[in-house]
Tab-separated table of all heavy atoms in Angstrom:
chain	number	residue	atom	x	y	z
M	36	TYR	N	-19.118	-19.687	-23.354
M	36	TYR	CA	-19.689	-19.350	-24.664
M	36	TYR	C	-20.355	-17.976	-24.598
M	36	TYR	O	-20.115	-17.108	-25.449
M	36	TYR	CB	-20.710	-20.414	-25.070
M	36	TYR	CG	-21.149	-20.345	-26.511
M	36	TYR	CD1	-20.901	-21.399	-27.383
M	36	TYR	CD2	-21.836	-19.246	-27.022
M	36	TYR	CE1	-21.305	-21.352	-28.716
M	36	TYR	CE2	-22.249	-19.189	-28.337
M	36	TYR	CZ	-21.974	-20.245	-29.182
M	36	TYR	OH	-22.366	-20.182	-30.490
M	37	ALA	N	-21.182	-17.767	-23.598
M	37	ALA	CA	-21.896	-16.493	-23.467
M	37	ALA	C	-20.919	-15.331	-23.272
M	37	ALA	O	-21.100	-14.243	-23.838
M	37	ALA	CB	-22.877	-16.564	-22.309
M	38	GLU	N	-19.907	-15.547	-22.469
M	38	GLU	CA	-18.945	-14.483	-22.174
M	38	GLU	C	-18.118	-14.081	-23.394
M	38	GLU	O	-17.738	-12.911	-23.534
M	38	GLU	CB	-18.007	-14.924	-21.053
M	38	GLU	CG	-18.674	-14.993	-19.689
M	38	GLU	CD	-17.781	-15.611	-18.626
M	38	GLU	OE1	-16.837	-16.351	-18.989
M	38	GLU	OE2	-18.029	-15.358	-17.439
M	39	THR	N	-17.852	-15.032	-24.272
M	39	THR	CA	-16.935	-14.767	-25.385
M	39	THR	C	-17.617	-14.482	-26.723
M	39	THR	O	-17.010	-13.856	-27.600
M	39	THR	CB	-15.980	-15.959	-25.580
M	39	THR	OG1	-16.740	-17.154	-25.802
M	39	THR	CG2	-15.098	-16.149	-24.348
M	40	LYS	N	-18.883	-14.898	-26.888
M	40	LYS	CA	-19.497	-14.785	-28.208
M	40	LYS	C	-20.782	-13.962	-28.251
M	40	LYS	O	-21.256	-13.624	-29.339
M	40	LYS	CB	-19.794	-16.192	-28.769
M	40	LYS	CG	-18.542	-17.024	-28.997
M	40	LYS	CD	-18.882	-18.351	-29.661
M	40	LYS	CE	-17.622	-19.180	-29.896
M	40	LYS	NZ	-17.919	-20.466	-30.569
M	41	MET	N	-21.361	-13.656	-27.104
M	41	MET	CA	-22.636	-12.953	-27.108
M	41	MET	C	-22.453	-11.464	-26.837
M	41	MET	O	-21.407	-11.035	-26.328
M	41	MET	CB	-23.590	-13.570	-26.070
M	41	MET	CG	-23.889	-15.029	-26.305
M	41	MET	SD	-25.029	-15.731	-25.087
M	41	MET	CE	-26.595	-15.052	-25.655
M	42	LEU	N	-23.491	-10.694	-27.151
M	42	LEU	CA	-23.431	-9.246	-26.995
M	42	LEU	C	-24.590	-8.724	-26.143
M	42	LEU	O	-25.651	-9.342	-26.066
M	42	LEU	CB	-23.482	-8.559	-28.368
M	42	LEU	CG	-22.337	-8.870	-29.347
M	42	LEU	CD1	-22.626	-8.238	-30.697
M	42	LEU	CD2	-21.011	-8.381	-28.793
M	43	SER	N	-24.361	-7.608	-25.510
M	43	SER	CA	-25.357	-6.747	-24.856
M	43	SER	C	-26.401	-7.490	-24.038
M	43	SER	O	-26.080	-8.309	-23.180
M	43	SER	CB	-26.027	-5.855	-25.904
M	43	SER	OG	-26.732	-6.634	-26.849
M	44	GLU	N	-27.683	-7.236	-24.329
M	44	GLU	CA	-28.791	-7.742	-23.529
M	44	GLU	C	-28.864	-9.264	-23.539
M	44	GLU	O	-29.154	-9.882	-22.507
M	44	GLU	CB	-30.117	-7.163	-24.030
M	44	GLU	CG	-31.323	-7.508	-23.173
M	44	GLU	CD	-31.288	-6.895	-21.781
M	44	GLU	OE1	-30.660	-5.828	-21.621
M	44	GLU	OE2	-31.889	-7.477	-20.857
M	45	LEU	N	-28.616	-9.882	-24.661
M	45	LEU	CA	-28.690	-11.342	-24.740
M	45	LEU	C	-27.600	-11.987	-23.896
M	45	LEU	O	-27.846	-12.988	-23.217
M	45	LEU	CB	-28.599	-11.808	-26.192
M	45	LEU	CG	-29.739	-11.348	-27.111
M	45	LEU	CD1	-29.575	-11.941	-28.501
M	45	LEU	CD2	-31.095	-11.724	-26.538
M	46	GLN	N	-26.414	-11.427	-23.916
M	46	GLN	CA	-25.342	-11.937	-23.061
M	46	GLN	C	-25.711	-11.782	-21.585
M	46	GLN	O	-25.530	-12.702	-20.777
M	46	GLN	CB	-24.037	-11.195	-23.336
M	46	GLN	CG	-22.875	-11.703	-22.490
M	46	GLN	CD	-21.655	-10.812	-22.597
M	46	GLN	OE1	-21.693	-9.651	-22.198
M	46	GLN	NE2	-20.568	-11.362	-23.151
M	47	LYS	N	-26.239	-10.631	-21.239
M	47	LYS	CA	-26.646	-10.368	-19.855
M	47	LYS	C	-27.649	-11.395	-19.370
M	47	LYS	O	-27.525	-11.954	-18.270
M	47	LYS	CB	-27.239	-8.958	-19.766
M	47	LYS	CG	-27.828	-8.601	-18.409
M	47	LYS	CD	-28.483	-7.230	-18.472
M	47	LYS	CE	-29.221	-6.913	-17.177
M	47	LYS	NZ	-29.918	-5.587	-17.268
M	48	GLN	N	-28.661	-11.695	-20.183
M	48	GLN	CA	-29.704	-12.628	-19.765
M	48	GLN	C	-29.210	-14.079	-19.781
M	48	GLN	O	-29.631	-14.886	-18.944
M	48	GLN	CB	-30.937	-12.465	-20.657
M	48	GLN	CG	-31.583	-11.095	-20.593
M	48	GLN	CD	-31.911	-10.660	-19.175
M	48	GLN	OE1	-32.092	-11.484	-18.276
M	48	GLN	NE2	-31.999	-9.346	-18.960
M	49	ALA	N	-28.328	-14.406	-20.700
M	49	ALA	CA	-27.762	-15.766	-20.721
M	49	ALA	C	-26.948	-16.019	-19.457
M	49	ALA	O	-27.094	-17.060	-18.809
M	49	ALA	CB	-26.901	-15.953	-21.964
M	50	LEU	N	-26.090	-15.081	-19.104
M	50	LEU	CA	-25.258	-15.247	-17.910
M	50	LEU	C	-26.104	-15.255	-16.646
M	50	LEU	O	-25.840	-16.019	-15.711
M	50	LEU	CB	-24.201	-14.138	-17.852
M	50	LEU	CG	-23.116	-14.219	-18.932
M	50	LEU	CD1	-22.215	-12.989	-18.875
M	50	LEU	CD2	-22.290	-15.493	-18.779
M	51	ALA	N	-27.134	-14.408	-16.613
M	51	ALA	CA	-28.014	-14.369	-15.439
M	51	ALA	C	-28.760	-15.682	-15.268
M	51	ALA	O	-28.930	-16.175	-14.145
M	51	ALA	CB	-29.007	-13.214	-15.560
M	52	SER	N	-29.193	-16.274	-16.374
M	52	SER	CA	-29.946	-17.535	-16.271
M	52	SER	C	-29.046	-18.654	-15.752
M	52	SER	O	-29.479	-19.505	-14.968
M	52	SER	CB	-30.557	-17.917	-17.629
M	52	SER	OG	-29.583	-18.408	-18.521
M	53	ILE	N	-27.785	-18.660	-16.166
M	53	ILE	CA	-26.850	-19.689	-15.698
M	53	ILE	C	-26.526	-19.499	-14.223
M	53	ILE	O	-26.516	-20.453	-13.436
M	53	ILE	CB	-25.562	-19.668	-16.549
M	53	ILE	CG1	-25.860	-20.151	-17.967
M	53	ILE	CG2	-24.471	-20.528	-15.915
M	53	ILE	CD1	-24.720	-19.970	-18.948
M	54	THR	N	-26.301	-18.257	-13.831
M	54	THR	CA	-25.926	-17.962	-12.443
M	54	THR	C	-27.087	-18.152	-11.477
M	54	THR	O	-26.949	-18.798	-10.425
M	54	THR	CB	-25.398	-16.523	-12.341
M	54	THR	OG1	-24.265	-16.374	-13.199
M	54	THR	CG2	-24.990	-16.209	-10.905
M	55	ASP	N	-28.242	-17.600	-11.842
M	55	ASP	CA	-29.372	-17.548	-10.907
M	55	ASP	C	-30.232	-18.804	-10.919
M	55	ASP	O	-30.974	-19.058	-9.960
M	55	ASP	CB	-30.259	-16.342	-11.226
M	55	ASP	CG	-29.513	-15.024	-11.120
M	55	ASP	OD1	-28.464	-14.991	-10.432
M	55	ASP	OD2	-29.959	-14.028	-11.735
M	56	LYS	N	-30.174	-19.592	-11.998
M	56	LYS	CA	-31.072	-20.738	-12.130
M	56	LYS	C	-30.316	-22.058	-12.275
M	56	LYS	O	-30.853	-23.047	-12.786
M	56	LYS	CB	-32.015	-20.516	-13.321
M	56	LYS	CG	-32.873	-19.263	-13.143
M	56	LYS	CD	-33.782	-18.993	-14.319
M	56	LYS	CE	-34.603	-17.736	-14.081
M	56	LYS	NZ	-35.524	-17.435	-15.197
M	57	LYS	N	-29.089	-22.056	-11.803
M	57	LYS	CA	-28.271	-23.266	-11.799
M	57	LYS	C	-28.987	-24.437	-11.139
M	57	LYS	O	-28.868	-25.595	-11.553
M	57	LYS	CB	-26.964	-22.963	-11.060
M	57	LYS	CG	-25.995	-24.098	-10.916
M	57	LYS	CD	-24.748	-23.605	-10.163
M	57	LYS	CE	-23.740	-24.706	-10.001
M	57	LYS	NZ	-22.513	-24.212	-9.295
M	58	PHE	N	-29.766	-24.106	-10.111
M	58	PHE	CA	-30.535	-25.092	-9.348
M	58	PHE	C	-31.407	-25.963	-10.249
M	58	PHE	O	-31.574	-27.162	-10.019
M	58	PHE	CB	-31.381	-24.327	-8.332
M	58	PHE	CG	-32.402	-25.138	-7.603
M	58	PHE	CD1	-32.034	-25.974	-6.565
M	58	PHE	CD2	-33.737	-25.051	-7.934
M	58	PHE	CE1	-32.981	-26.713	-5.874
M	58	PHE	CE2	-34.700	-25.785	-7.263
M	58	PHE	CZ	-34.319	-26.623	-6.233
M	59	HIS	N	-31.963	-25.380	-11.316
M	59	HIS	CA	-32.840	-26.124	-12.211
M	59	HIS	C	-32.067	-27.228	-12.941
M	59	HIS	O	-32.556	-28.347	-13.081
M	59	HIS	CB	-33.481	-25.184	-13.231
M	59	HIS	CG	-34.393	-24.173	-12.623
M	59	HIS	ND1	-34.780	-23.013	-13.278
M	59	HIS	CD2	-35.003	-24.128	-11.406
M	59	HIS	CE1	-35.575	-22.311	-12.502
M	59	HIS	NE2	-35.730	-22.967	-11.367
M	60	CYS	N	-30.881	-26.899	-13.427
M	60	CYS	CA	-30.053	-27.902	-14.104
M	60	CYS	C	-29.605	-28.989	-13.131
M	60	CYS	O	-29.566	-30.177	-13.486
M	60	CYS	CB	-28.836	-27.238	-14.737
M	60	CYS	SG	-29.210	-26.176	-16.146
M	61	GLN	N	-29.301	-28.596	-11.921
M	61	GLN	CA	-28.903	-29.576	-10.912
M	61	GLN	C	-30.044	-30.555	-10.641
M	61	GLN	O	-29.833	-31.770	-10.602
M	61	GLN	CB	-28.496	-28.859	-9.632
M	61	GLN	CG	-27.213	-28.059	-9.748
M	61	GLN	CD	-26.907	-27.249	-8.502
M	61	GLN	OE1	-27.819	-26.784	-7.804
M	61	GLN	NE2	-25.634	-27.067	-8.203
M	62	GLY	N	-31.244	-30.026	-10.449
M	62	GLY	CA	-32.389	-30.888	-10.156
M	62	GLY	C	-32.715	-31.834	-11.292
M	62	GLY	O	-32.929	-33.036	-11.076
M	63	GLY	N	-32.732	-31.311	-12.520
M	63	GLY	CA	-33.037	-32.164	-13.666
M	63	GLY	C	-32.028	-33.274	-13.868
M	63	GLY	O	-32.363	-34.370	-14.327
M	64	SER	N	-30.783	-32.997	-13.484
M	64	SER	CA	-29.721	-33.990	-13.675
M	64	SER	C	-29.829	-35.170	-12.714
M	64	SER	O	-29.127	-36.174	-12.891
M	64	SER	CB	-28.347	-33.323	-13.539
M	64	SER	OG	-28.139	-32.426	-14.619
M	65	PHE	N	-30.701	-35.071	-11.724
M	65	PHE	CA	-30.933	-36.217	-10.840
M	65	PHE	C	-31.420	-37.421	-11.645
M	65	PHE	O	-31.173	-38.570	-11.279
M	65	PHE	CB	-31.954	-35.864	-9.756
M	65	PHE	CG	-31.996	-36.834	-8.609
M	65	PHE	CD1	-31.141	-36.698	-7.527
M	65	PHE	CD2	-32.883	-37.903	-8.605
M	65	PHE	CE1	-31.158	-37.599	-6.472
M	65	PHE	CE2	-32.914	-38.817	-7.559
M	65	PHE	CZ	-32.049	-38.664	-6.481
M	66	TYR	N	-32.084	-37.170	-12.772
M	66	TYR	CA	-32.614	-38.257	-13.599
M	66	TYR	C	-31.509	-39.038	-14.312
M	66	TYR	O	-31.777	-40.088	-14.888
M	66	TYR	CB	-33.630	-37.700	-14.597
M	66	TYR	CG	-34.917	-37.306	-13.922
M	66	TYR	CD1	-35.063	-36.044	-13.357
M	66	TYR	CD2	-35.968	-38.203	-13.792
M	66	TYR	CE1	-36.223	-35.687	-12.697
M	66	TYR	CE2	-37.137	-37.855	-13.146
M	66	TYR	CZ	-37.254	-36.596	-12.592
M	66	TYR	OH	-38.409	-36.254	-11.925
M	67	SER	N	-30.281	-38.541	-14.242
M	67	SER	CA	-29.165	-39.318	-14.781
M	67	SER	C	-28.919	-40.582	-13.965
M	67	SER	O	-28.207	-41.488	-14.410
M	67	SER	CB	-27.893	-38.468	-14.808
M	67	SER	OG	-27.484	-38.125	-13.498
M	68	LEU	N	-29.509	-40.656	-12.759
M	68	LEU	CA	-29.368	-41.828	-11.900
M	68	LEU	C	-30.392	-42.914	-12.216
M	68	LEU	O	-30.378	-43.980	-11.604
M	68	LEU	CB	-29.500	-41.415	-10.425
M	68	LEU	CG	-28.465	-40.410	-9.928
M	68	LEU	CD1	-28.762	-40.005	-8.491
M	68	LEU	CD2	-27.058	-40.979	-10.029
M	69	TYR	N	-31.281	-42.656	-13.175
M	69	TYR	CA	-32.268	-43.663	-13.573
M	69	TYR	C	-31.548	-44.845	-14.205
M	69	TYR	O	-30.556	-44.672	-14.930
M	69	TYR	CB	-33.266	-43.058	-14.557
M	69	TYR	CG	-34.505	-43.895	-14.777
M	69	TYR	CD1	-35.481	-43.992	-13.788
M	69	TYR	CD2	-34.705	-44.581	-15.975
M	69	TYR	CE1	-36.624	-44.752	-13.981
M	69	TYR	CE2	-35.844	-45.343	-16.176
M	69	TYR	CZ	-36.805	-45.432	-15.169
M	69	TYR	OH	-37.937	-46.193	-15.363
M	70	PRO	N	-32.007	-46.076	-13.948
M	70	PRO	CA	-31.313	-47.266	-14.459
M	70	PRO	C	-31.095	-47.225	-15.971
M	70	PRO	O	-32.004	-46.913	-16.740
M	70	PRO	CB	-32.260	-48.412	-14.082
M	70	PRO	CG	-32.985	-47.912	-12.874
M	70	PRO	CD	-33.162	-46.436	-13.097
M	71	GLY	N	-29.869	-47.517	-16.383
M	71	GLY	CA	-29.538	-47.634	-17.797
M	71	GLY	C	-29.090	-46.361	-18.481
M	71	GLY	O	-28.732	-46.387	-19.659
M	72	VAL	N	-29.113	-45.247	-17.764
M	72	VAL	CA	-28.805	-43.958	-18.379
M	72	VAL	C	-27.295	-43.743	-18.465
M	72	VAL	O	-26.553	-44.047	-17.525
M	72	VAL	CB	-29.455	-42.809	-17.566
M	72	VAL	CG1	-28.952	-41.451	-18.025
M	72	VAL	CG2	-30.970	-42.877	-17.691
M	73	ASN	N	-26.844	-43.196	-19.604
M	73	ASN	CA	-25.464	-42.735	-19.746
M	73	ASN	C	-25.377	-41.375	-19.048
M	73	ASN	O	-25.883	-40.376	-19.546
M	73	ASN	CB	-25.098	-42.607	-21.228
M	73	ASN	CG	-23.683	-42.124	-21.451
M	73	ASN	OD1	-23.202	-41.217	-20.790
M	73	ASN	ND2	-23.007	-42.725	-22.414
M	74	ARG	N	-24.743	-41.347	-17.900
M	74	ARG	CA	-24.805	-40.169	-17.037
M	74	ARG	C	-24.166	-38.928	-17.652
M	74	ARG	O	-24.714	-37.826	-17.563
M	74	ARG	CB	-24.168	-40.487	-15.674
M	74	ARG	CG	-24.963	-41.516	-14.890
M	74	ARG	CD	-24.287	-41.882	-13.578
M	74	ARG	NE	-25.076	-42.892	-12.868
M	74	ARG	CZ	-24.714	-43.451	-11.725
M	74	ARG	NH1	-23.560	-43.093	-11.145
M	74	ARG	NH2	-25.486	-44.357	-11.150
M	75	VAL	N	-23.014	-39.098	-18.278
M	75	VAL	CA	-22.320	-37.955	-18.868
M	75	VAL	C	-23.156	-37.339	-19.986
M	75	VAL	O	-23.364	-36.120	-20.037
M	75	VAL	CB	-20.928	-38.363	-19.390
M	75	VAL	CG1	-20.261	-37.205	-20.133
M	75	VAL	CG2	-20.050	-38.822	-18.232
M	76	GLU	N	-23.652	-38.181	-20.891
M	76	GLU	CA	-24.490	-37.695	-21.991
M	76	GLU	C	-25.770	-37.055	-21.474
M	76	GLU	O	-26.195	-36.002	-21.961
M	76	GLU	CB	-24.863	-38.863	-22.915
M	76	GLU	CG	-23.895	-39.122	-24.024
M	76	GLU	CD	-24.479	-40.076	-25.049
M	76	GLU	OE1	-25.608	-40.590	-24.831
M	76	GLU	OE2	-23.815	-40.312	-26.064
M	77	PHE	N	-26.394	-37.701	-20.511
M	77	PHE	CA	-27.679	-37.216	-20.035
M	77	PHE	C	-27.531	-35.858	-19.360
M	77	PHE	O	-28.377	-34.977	-19.550
M	77	PHE	CB	-28.307	-38.221	-19.064
M	77	PHE	CG	-29.725	-37.884	-18.702
M	77	PHE	CD1	-30.772	-38.205	-19.553
M	77	PHE	CD2	-30.015	-37.212	-17.519
M	77	PHE	CE1	-32.086	-37.881	-19.230
M	77	PHE	CE2	-31.321	-36.886	-17.186
M	77	PHE	CZ	-32.356	-37.226	-18.046
M	78	VAL	N	-26.497	-35.673	-18.577
M	78	VAL	CA	-26.271	-34.372	-17.939
M	78	VAL	C	-26.068	-33.297	-18.997
M	78	VAL	O	-26.593	-32.183	-18.882
M	78	VAL	CB	-25.073	-34.429	-16.970
M	78	VAL	CG1	-24.655	-33.024	-16.526
M	78	VAL	CG2	-25.424	-35.281	-15.752
M	79	LYS	N	-25.347	-33.628	-20.050
M	79	LYS	CA	-25.150	-32.677	-21.148
M	79	LYS	C	-26.497	-32.282	-21.760
M	79	LYS	O	-26.744	-31.103	-22.055
M	79	LYS	CB	-24.242	-33.305	-22.212
M	79	LYS	CG	-23.764	-32.345	-23.284
M	79	LYS	CD	-22.942	-33.075	-24.335
M	79	LYS	CE	-21.627	-33.553	-23.789
M	79	LYS	NZ	-20.668	-32.441	-23.600
M	80	PHE	N	-27.378	-33.275	-21.954
M	80	PHE	CA	-28.718	-33.000	-22.483
M	80	PHE	C	-29.531	-32.124	-21.533
M	80	PHE	O	-30.127	-31.128	-21.943
M	80	PHE	CB	-29.462	-34.312	-22.737
M	80	PHE	CG	-30.958	-34.154	-22.802
M	80	PHE	CD1	-31.564	-33.527	-23.882
M	80	PHE	CD2	-31.766	-34.599	-21.756
M	80	PHE	CE1	-32.947	-33.357	-23.929
M	80	PHE	CE2	-33.134	-34.430	-21.789
M	80	PHE	CZ	-33.734	-33.800	-22.883
M	81	VAL	N	-29.561	-32.495	-20.257
M	81	VAL	CA	-30.356	-31.741	-19.282
M	81	VAL	C	-29.891	-30.285	-19.225
M	81	VAL	O	-30.712	-29.361	-19.238
M	81	VAL	CB	-30.268	-32.380	-17.884
M	81	VAL	CG1	-30.823	-31.432	-16.814
M	81	VAL	CG2	-31.034	-33.690	-17.847
M	82	VAL	N	-28.595	-30.077	-19.161
M	82	VAL	CA	-28.082	-28.715	-19.076
M	82	VAL	C	-28.436	-27.921	-20.325
M	82	VAL	O	-28.830	-26.754	-20.244
M	82	VAL	CB	-26.558	-28.718	-18.831
M	82	VAL	CG1	-25.977	-27.302	-18.965
M	82	VAL	CG2	-26.256	-29.271	-17.436
M	83	ALA	N	-28.363	-28.559	-21.486
M	83	ALA	CA	-28.724	-27.857	-22.728
M	83	ALA	C	-30.199	-27.478	-22.738
M	83	ALA	O	-30.550	-26.316	-22.974
M	83	ALA	CB	-28.381	-28.728	-23.937
M	84	LEU	N	-31.078	-28.452	-22.480
M	84	LEU	CA	-32.515	-28.173	-22.552
M	84	LEU	C	-32.948	-27.201	-21.451
M	84	LEU	O	-33.707	-26.252	-21.709
M	84	LEU	CB	-33.321	-29.464	-22.447
M	84	LEU	CG	-34.833	-29.278	-22.664
M	84	LEU	CD1	-35.127	-28.869	-24.106
M	84	LEU	CD2	-35.606	-30.542	-22.304
M	85	GLN	N	-32.481	-27.431	-20.237
M	85	GLN	CA	-32.888	-26.559	-19.138
M	85	GLN	C	-32.318	-25.151	-19.296
M	85	GLN	O	-32.963	-24.164	-18.934
M	85	GLN	CB	-32.448	-27.146	-17.798
M	85	GLN	CG	-33.032	-26.420	-16.594
M	85	GLN	CD	-34.547	-26.477	-16.546
M	85	GLN	OE1	-35.142	-27.551	-16.622
M	85	GLN	NE2	-35.184	-25.316	-16.443
M	86	THR	N	-31.136	-25.042	-19.879
M	86	THR	CA	-30.570	-23.716	-20.138
M	86	THR	C	-31.377	-22.979	-21.195
M	86	THR	O	-31.570	-21.755	-21.092
M	86	THR	CB	-29.084	-23.828	-20.538
M	86	THR	OG1	-28.356	-24.407	-19.449
M	86	THR	CG2	-28.492	-22.466	-20.854
M	87	ILE	N	-31.859	-23.702	-22.211
M	87	ILE	CA	-32.784	-23.077	-23.163
M	87	ILE	C	-33.993	-22.528	-22.419
M	87	ILE	O	-34.386	-21.368	-22.589
M	87	ILE	CB	-33.241	-24.088	-24.237
M	87	ILE	CG1	-32.085	-24.494	-25.143
M	87	ILE	CG2	-34.378	-23.495	-25.090
M	87	ILE	CD1	-32.414	-25.647	-26.084
M	88	SER	N	-34.588	-23.367	-21.583
M	88	SER	CA	-35.775	-22.973	-20.824
M	88	SER	C	-35.512	-21.738	-19.969
M	88	SER	O	-36.275	-20.773	-19.996
M	88	SER	CB	-36.227	-24.151	-19.946
M	88	SER	OG	-37.193	-23.747	-19.010
M	89	ASP	N	-34.429	-21.761	-19.213
M	89	ASP	CA	-34.134	-20.663	-18.292
M	89	ASP	C	-33.742	-19.383	-19.022
M	89	ASP	O	-34.106	-18.277	-18.615
M	89	ASP	CB	-33.019	-21.076	-17.333
M	89	ASP	CG	-33.451	-22.182	-16.381
M	89	ASP	OD1	-34.669	-22.326	-16.158
M	89	ASP	OD2	-32.579	-22.910	-15.870
M	90	TYR	N	-33.000	-19.522	-20.097
M	90	TYR	CA	-32.609	-18.373	-20.922
M	90	TYR	C	-33.831	-17.709	-21.543
M	90	TYR	O	-34.003	-16.485	-21.467
M	90	TYR	CB	-31.629	-18.844	-21.989
M	90	TYR	CG	-31.261	-17.824	-23.044
M	90	TYR	CD1	-30.675	-16.606	-22.698
M	90	TYR	CD2	-31.463	-18.105	-24.398
M	90	TYR	CE1	-30.319	-15.687	-23.677
M	90	TYR	CE2	-31.099	-17.194	-25.379
M	90	TYR	CZ	-30.535	-15.978	-25.017
M	90	TYR	OH	-30.176	-15.072	-25.993
M	91	LEU	N	-34.711	-18.516	-22.127
M	91	LEU	CA	-35.918	-17.950	-22.736
M	91	LEU	C	-36.825	-17.313	-21.682
M	91	LEU	O	-37.466	-16.296	-21.945
M	91	LEU	CB	-36.676	-19.028	-23.512
M	91	LEU	CG	-35.949	-19.644	-24.716
M	91	LEU	CD1	-36.865	-20.588	-25.474
M	91	LEU	CD2	-35.411	-18.565	-25.641
Side-chain angles (χ1 to χ4, degrees):
Y36 192 118
E38 289 172 338
T39 57
K40 297 185 180 181
M41 300 181 76
L42 298 174
S43 63
E44 186 66 28
L45 297 183
Q46 181 190 64
K47 174 185 173 183
Q48 298 307 335
L50 291 174
S52 75
I53 291 171
T54 301
D55 300 339
K56 300 178 180 181
K57 178 180 180 179
F58 171 77
H59 295 161
C60 291
Q61 292 174 328
S64 293
F65 195 86
Y66 288 86
S67 65
L68 299 176
Y69 194 72
V72 170
N73 180 317
R74 294 177 181 177
V75 174
E76 271 192 356
F77 189 81
V78 168
K79 190 183 291 286
F80 159 71
V81 167
V82 171
L84 186 67
Q85 190 62 53
T86 298
I87 293 171
S88 168
D89 293 337
Y90 172 59
L91 296 186

